[in-house]
Amino acid sequence: MTLYEIIFKRRSVRKYDRTPLDEKTLNDIRAFITNTRQLQGQNARFDIVSADKVKGASAPHYIMSFCPPGDAAYANVGYVLEKADLYIQSLGLGGLWLGFGKQKEKESGFCIMLAFGQSTVPFRTSEKEFNRLSISEISNKDNHLAQAARLAPSACNSQPWKLFFGDGCVTVRYFGRGLTQMLLKSKMSKIDMGIITRHIVTALENEGKEVKSITPKTSGKDFEIEMIYE
Ligand SMILES: Cc1cc2nc3c(=O)[nH]c(=O)nc-3n(C[C@H](O)[C@H](O)[C@H](O)COP(=O)(O)O)c2cc1C
């Protein structure tokens, strides 16, 4: 399955076979992350570690991410790691974003971790299995891009965004919803913004479009990411 197809099938997997994956698979995932282009001006670091580095681990492997503090830096981690999440699931493995995951030994610049490994939890078989807001609640247009964006995972399923389509461009604007959003650290929602950006870019590429620029913009408490395409 392509990464685009995985958007419509993926899920958060919380039950794993603890047997470590073989070296080739781990090397493929490592190479995939290294070859994933980061947002302009960003240079996050990603490490694959085993369960012994994580408190209360349930999966055999974890991708650890590190970046300086900042909206664009957090969005970049979401953007890169969501591609890894889709890739991992395209290999038939399970993956899970872990905003509440804790390292056994804290390292400076740590941002978030993503668990992965073998699992017998099945993929979703239809869009109906996703618990998400409707397109009209999150977007000014209903099209293939909005449909792929809508299924993006977010911390506590808070879906803190709205989409605005223009001519050759789409902007995702941070839009906090309700109590859950107040409880979430702002870092988490900026990661969510990067994740939905990845879904939109994957859908654009699936339609043969060329993404010309992806620009995160912070203004006071507002945060948005603008994508321009042809
Ligand atoms: C940034 C982020 C952090 C998350 N942190 C956790 C977590 O700490 N524990 C957990 O069980 N799920 C976590 N999740 C998974 C979300 O709860 C899940 O993506 C959401 O409920 C939607 O479900 P789905 O991924 O199966 O489509 C996180 C997801 C994201 C995007």
Side-chain angles (χ1 to χ4, degrees):
M1 270 190 284
T2 64
L3 299 190
Y4 176 72
E5 288 165 336
I6 290 292
I7 286 176
F8 300 87
K9 302 259 188 276
R10 64 159 293 288
R11 71 158 82 241
S12 291
V13 167
R14 297 185 174 83
K15 254 194 204 158
Y16 291 92
D17 174 347
R18 294 291 292 268
T19 316
L21 297 170
D22 59 75
E23 267 313 304
K24 186 190 172 303
T25 307
L26 290 175
N27 284 337
D28 284 351
I29 295 170
R30 205 172 279 121
F32 185 86
I33 297 168
T34 306
N35 292 329
T36 296
R37 201 175 329 144
Q38 303 198 18
L39 294 180
Q40 202 178 359
Q42 298 299 325
N43 190 19
R45 180 166 69 81
F46 300 92
D47 273 352
I48 296 183
V49 303
S50 43
D52 58 326
K53 302 274 192 234
V54 174
K55 280 190 192 166
S58 62
H61 306 286
Y62 294 80
I63 304 170
M64 301 296 192
S65 62
F66 302 87
C67 68
D71 295 350
Y74 297 146
N76 176 59
V77 166
Y79 180 68
V80 173
L81 271 192
E82 180 57 10
K83 192 170 187 187
D85 175 38
L86 296 174
Y87 178 66
I88 283 164
Q89 303 214 28
S90 79
L91 300 178
L93 303 169
L96 176 66
W97 282 94
L98 271 179
F100 298 104
K102 291 210 165 28
Q103 296 183 295
K104 274 195 186 155
E105 281 176 34
K106 281 190 188 167
E107 289 176 85
S108 87
F110 173 69
C111 178
I112 194 166
M113 63 178 83
L114 192 136
F116 68 98
Q118 247 156 22
S119 170
T120 52
V121 176
F123 284 104
R124 287 182 166 119
T125 54
S126 117
E127 271 177 62
K128 291 194 191 100
E129 287 181 42
F130 285 82
N131 173 19
R132 297 291 192 272
L133 295 165
S134 63
I135 297 265
S136 61
E137 286 170 291
I138 63 154
S139 175
N140 67 344
K141 270 196 185 162
D142 187 353
N143 55 26
H144 286 120
L145 303 178
Q147 285 156 19
R150 171 180 171 262
L151 304 181
S154 55
C156 300
N157 207 23
S158 53
Q159 305 166 74
W161 12 250
K162 277 199 175 188
L163 306 178
F164 298 90
F165 286 91
D167 195 15
C169 74
V170 48
T171 300
V172 188
R173 208 161 282 159
Y174 170 75
F175 184 82
R177 287 185 164 85
L179 196 60
T180 334
Q181 201 52 40
M182 284 165 63
L183 297 171
L184 289 175
K185 290 193 188 127
S186 74
K187 175 169 88 172
M188 222 75 89
S189 48
K190 304 305 159 23
I191 295 171
D192 290 341
M193 291 282 288
I195 293 174
I196 193 171
T197 299
R198 171 59 67 191
H199 278 218
I200 295 166
V201 166
T202 306
L204 280 168
E205 288 172 349
N206 181 64
E207 289 184 358
K209 299 276 198 300
E210 192 187 340
V211 179
K212 293 288 192 190
S213 64
I214 305 173
T215 315
K217 297 176 187 173
T218 299
S219 157
K221 285 197 167 165
D222 295 333
F223 180 59
E224 63 181 35
I225 302 179
E226 178 195 68
M227 283 153 267
I228 295 180
Y229 59 90
E230 255 177 24

